Amino acid sequence: MRTWKTYLLLTAALTLATSPAKADLLFWSTQAKPVEETQKMRDNVLAGFGETVDYQASDGGPWLTRIQAETQAGSGTIAVLGGLHGDFTSISANLADLGAVDLGGAAVNPNFMALGQLGSGEQKYLPWMQATYIMAANKKALPYLPAGADLNALTYDQLIAWSKAVAEATGGPKFGFPAGPKGLKHRFFQGYLLPSFAESTVTKFRSAEAEQAWTKFKDLWSYTNPASTGYGFLQEQLLTEEVWIAFDHTARLADAFNQKPDDFVAFPAPAGPAGRGFMPVVAGIAIPSTAPDMEKAKALVAYMLKPETQIATLRATNFFPVVDVTLPDDMPASVKASGAAIAAMTGAADAKPALLPMGLGEAGGKFNQVYIDTFERIVLANQDVRTVLDSQAEALRAIMKETGAPCWAPDKPSEGACPVD
């Protein structure tokens, strides 16, 4: 005859047999969401940590809801959080200070370390991985570089002079820009052009410095292939030699380097008077204050920044390292070329990171359209720069007031909606 004690033991045994083993550490992330990337994170990146890690990828909404619920409860199961810079901004107060974490000598990009403080004075997250936009050129263009120009430290004036020399030598404009319907032109204006001249994306949108930026871009457009208004992925035009010099996202240049690795070079975006503006897509790694085992969580964070782990992460996600690493020889040509350019750009003394827009919600499309309309009016329709900036600044100001979104780098932090001067 079975006793209640026997019944309870059988029930417990059945539960253990049918329930998955509880992971030591839950890594809750908005990144590496495709199934194949998630599995590579588990098998190829985290397997070497030495503790069982349950890597779970989530959309932004559920990701935020869960961490907020655990914070409100005062205890939780999440050991480590992974996300983009903007994912952390609303939960900064609930993140542990990682300033004392021993990174074992890993040389982490200082600009990204500063971003990880989220304006708090504490290291709220550590940089984890990055993607960005770069320049590429056919090696046939290199002999036409201006005298004394350093390909890894070009200015906008030098890029214009180079493009002009190539156009004159070849009989037509050879600079290519992703100005087509599917091109990422707005990211160039938001993250590269304006920050390089005005050290701003929003506040100084209509400033004298912004006026200078757009005037310079009009000069560059004089030597830009007019078919650029239809370009989306510049790798195609590089391969056909429609263009010899191009700007685009690393993923949209990859085929050119992989198909003809000996024909092309990658290099950083140019610099203006305010610095070398560039837009990093920065992912970070953080620890919630409710982490069940703070010491193990800190050990995992340190592990993620080891050079060998950063390389494994690159293989798994196509996001680049944020620490100084030497890439193995068996990496694809596009990775090696882009990686060197990204390292030179992000580590430059005049580097000026400009983050992706944050806090705009459904108004993100309208925000981007302001920059697209500005480009079309100034460059394509040849309207007066000052008149256009004054007009478009009103549209931008309305969006910022509507959303209440505070400023993001390179603009200075704001209380409430980011102002448009």
Side-chain angles (χ1 to χ4, degrees):
M1 184 176 177
R2 292 183 179 178
T3 64
W4 276 106
K5 183 177 181 180
T6 303
Y7 176 80
L8 291 173
L9 286 172
L10 287 170
T11 303
L14 181 61
T15 300
L16 288 171
T18 57
S19 300
K22 184 178 180 181
D24 289 346
L25 295 167
L26 173 59
F27 192 150
W28 187 236
S29 176
T30 63
Q31 302 305 295
K33 288 188 293 185
V35 174
E36 63 276 12
E37 289 187 13
T38 296
Q39 199 59 46
K40 286 179 181 178
M41 284 295 299
R42 294 168 181 160
D43 296 342
N44 304 336
V45 178
L46 294 165
F49 175 55
E51 298 276 353
T52 304
V53 180
D54 182 16
Y55 186 86
Q56 294 291 338
S58 167
D59 288 334
W63 180 88
L64 182 60
T65 298
R66 178 163 181 171
I67 186 59
Q68 287 177 332
E70 293 194 359
T71 299
Q72 187 174 2
S75 64
T77 59
I78 299 172
V80 168
L81 290 164
L84 296 178
H85 174 88
D87 293 332
F88 295 115
T89 55
S90 64
I91 57 171
S92 174
N94 305 321
L95 302 177
D97 183 6
L98 304 182
V101 172
D102 182 4
L103 300 179
V108 187
N109 183 289
N111 291 309
F112 295 165
M113 287 291 284
L115 292 177
Q117 294 184 7
L118 296 174
S120 69
E122 296 183 349
Q123 198 67 48
K124 292 297 188 177
Y125 74 76
L126 288 169
W128 171 23
M129 55 186 185
Q130 61 165 320
T132 191
Y133 307 74
I134 57 170
M135 305 286 294
N138 191 308
K139 289 181 180 179
K140 293 179 180 179
L142 298 182
Y144 303 100
L145 276 165
D150 179 352
L151 190 64
N152 284 321
L154 290 177
T155 66
Y156 275 90
D157 284 338
Q158 289 173 328
L159 176 60
I160 293 168
W162 185 22
S163 299
K164 178 182 179 182
V166 169
E168 291 175 346
T170 61
K174 289 286 191 179
F175 181 77
F177 186 72
K182 296 182 179 179
L184 297 170
K185 51 188 175 291
H186 51 289
R187 296 305 188 210
F188 176 82
F189 306 132
Q190 296 164 359
Y192 293 78
L193 185 65
L194 266 65
S196 296
F197 285 81
E199 199 170 352
S200 171
T201 297
V202 176
T203 299
K204 299 180 72 176
F205 178 86
R206 60 175 299 277
S207 64
E209 294 87 350
E211 187 173 358
Q212 181 187 12
W214 282 105
T215 300
K216 287 292 182 185
F217 190 77
K218 284 187 70 175
D219 291 342
L220 179 59
W221 191 260
S222 301
Y223 309 108
T224 298
N225 190 317
S228 288
T229 53
Y231 293 166
F233 288 61
L234 264 296
Q235 59 196 7
E236 301 163 9
Q237 286 71 37
L238 284 168
L239 285 168
T240 62
E241 297 193 11
E242 283 184 54
V243 303
W244 281 13
I245 309 168
F247 164 88
D248 215 335
H249 191 283
T250 52
R252 297 183 174 209
L253 296 169
D255 281 354
F257 291 105
N258 289 334
Q259 290 187 33
K260 297 183 177 180
D262 296 330
D263 289 4
F264 303 105
V265 292
F267 53 99
R276 195 170 304 276
F278 72 98
M279 180 173 277
V281 182
V282 181
I285 186 168
I287 299 176
S289 56
T290 53
D293 190 326
M294 191 63 69
E295 292 310 309
K296 283 187 178 180
K298 288 182 178 179
L300 177 55
V301 166
Y303 170 80
M304 296 305 295
L305 291 181
K306 287 185 175 181
E308 57 268 30
T309 312
Q310 290 272 292
I311 292 171
T313 302
L314 169 58
R315 293 186 189 275
T317 66
N318 289 312
F319 268 64
F320 285 83
V322 294
V323 305
D324 188 14
V325 299
T326 300
L327 297 178
D329 291 338
D330 63 347
M331 285 288 186
S334 61
V335 168
K336 288 189 279 190
S338 299
I342 291 170
M345 184 167 63
T346 60
D350 58 355
K352 187 70 61 177
L355 299 182
L356 286 164
M358 294 182 294
L360 298 172
E362 294 180 357
K366 291 193 293 184
F367 180 86
N368 294 337
Q369 194 62 45
V370 168
Y371 296 85
I372 294 171
D373 290 345
T374 302
F375 159 71
E376 291 181 348
R377 292 178 62 183
I378 290 174
V379 180
L380 301 186
N382 199 31
Q383 295 180 19
D384 177 69
V385 177
R386 167 51 48 204
T387 301
V388 173
L389 291 182
D390 288 343
S391 170
Q392 293 298 119
E394 293 304 316
L396 181 60
R397 184 179 293 113
I399 293 169
M400 302 315 295
K401 286 184 176 180
E402 172 193 341
T403 62
C407 295
W408 56 87
D411 283 299
K412 296 178 180 179
S414 63
E415 292 292 335
C418 190
V420 180
D421 291 345

